[in-house]
Amino acid sequence: MTQSKISTYEIKLFSRVCEEFNLGILKNVFNVNGGFSNSYYGFATNKSKYLVKVYTMDKLKTIISTAKAELFFKKGGIPVLTRVNNLYGGDYSIIDGSIYVVFPYIFIPKIKKWQKELYYELGNFLGKMHGYSIKMSSKDYIKVFNLEKIKSSSLASMYFLLDALQRKE
């Protein structure tokens, strides 16, 4: 996590995000490393902590298709970090020309031992999931992803760890 100066405009903007998603009163905002086509921010409210991904408008199709992929995996019994719905039941909001997607903030302790094979497999799977989610309809996922194989793979422990951390928050 990188701390940097957050502008008055950004504070007002994240206060609007808190209202739009019914998250409570904004207490603080902090930058979070990551993202190739979007920006990440973390923020705390009087209710909890959240992660928000901020996308440009040209990424709307990607956001919608990724949500379909997440739903496919969730229905298949694979834990997926659930997006926070806005006041209207949607899982993203458009504010001042940008798209905001909010997730519960999950603190993951620093990794002490590098497990090259596991991280390679995880990165490969996530890359494949993102790539296919843009190109395919959700009914085609079943042809590409064997849910039972995923559940029994070395990745399963990573998914179930994320699920347990999400429930803990």
Side-chain angles (χ1 to χ4, degrees):
M1 176 169 32
T2 305
Q3 294 283 71
S4 69
K5 182 90 170 120
I6 303 294
S7 71
T8 304
Y9 170 76
E10 289 172 312
I11 291 170
K12 288 180 182 176
L13 193 59
F14 286 111
S15 292
R16 282 187 59 197
V17 170
C18 289
E19 291 172 15
E20 183 81 15
F21 287 87
N22 194 29
L23 303 176
I25 299 167
L26 183 66
K27 290 170 77 175
N28 71 338
V29 179
F30 49 93
N31 288 323
V32 177
N33 292 333
F36 294 108
S37 62
N38 54 322
S39 300
Y40 287 89
Y41 293 89
F43 59 91
T45 70
N46 61 326
K47 292 183 179 180
S48 191
K49 286 186 176 180
Y50 301 93
L51 174 78
V52 62
K53 293 171 92 174
V54 184
Y55 295 89
T56 56
M57 289 301 293
D58 62 323
K59 298 296 179 189
L60 186 57
K61 183 179 177 185
T62 301
I63 294 165
I64 293 168
S65 60
T66 302
K68 289 178 185 175
E70 291 166 359
L71 183 61
F72 167 79
F73 289 110
K74 188 173 184 173
K75 283 183 176 179
I78 296 181
V80 175
L81 186 60
T82 307
R83 298 173 184 200
V84 175
N85 285 341
N86 62 25
L87 291 171
Y88 313 103
D91 59 8
Y92 67 89
S93 286
I94 298 171
I95 301 171
D96 284 359
S98 293
I99 304 166
Y100 293 80
V101 180
V102 178
F103 297 89
Y105 184 85
I106 298 174
F107 173 76
I108 299 176
K110 189 173 184 172
I111 298 168
K112 293 179 181 172
K113 183 181 175 195
W114 179 255
Q115 297 175 352
K116 181 180 174 183
E117 293 79 18
L118 177 64
Y119 301 125
Y120 173 79
E121 190 177 346
L122 179 62
N124 192 19
F125 173 78
L126 291 173
K128 191 185 287 187
M129 184 197 83
H130 280 289
Y132 284 126
S133 70
I134 294 167
K135 298 174 189 168
M136 298 173 17
S137 68
S138 51
K139 67 182 178 196
D140 293 329
Y141 296 140
I142 199 76
K143 297 173 188 171
V144 176
F145 295 103
N146 180 330
L147 294 173
E148 293 309 313
K149 185 177 178 183
I150 293 168
K151 286 184 212 175
S152 64
S153 75
S154 57
L155 292 177
S157 60
M158 191 73 98
Y159 294 115
F160 292 102
L161 171 64
L162 286 174
D163 187 50
L165 287 168
Q166 180 173 301
R167 292 171 196 267
K168 183 180 171 186
E169 288 292 312

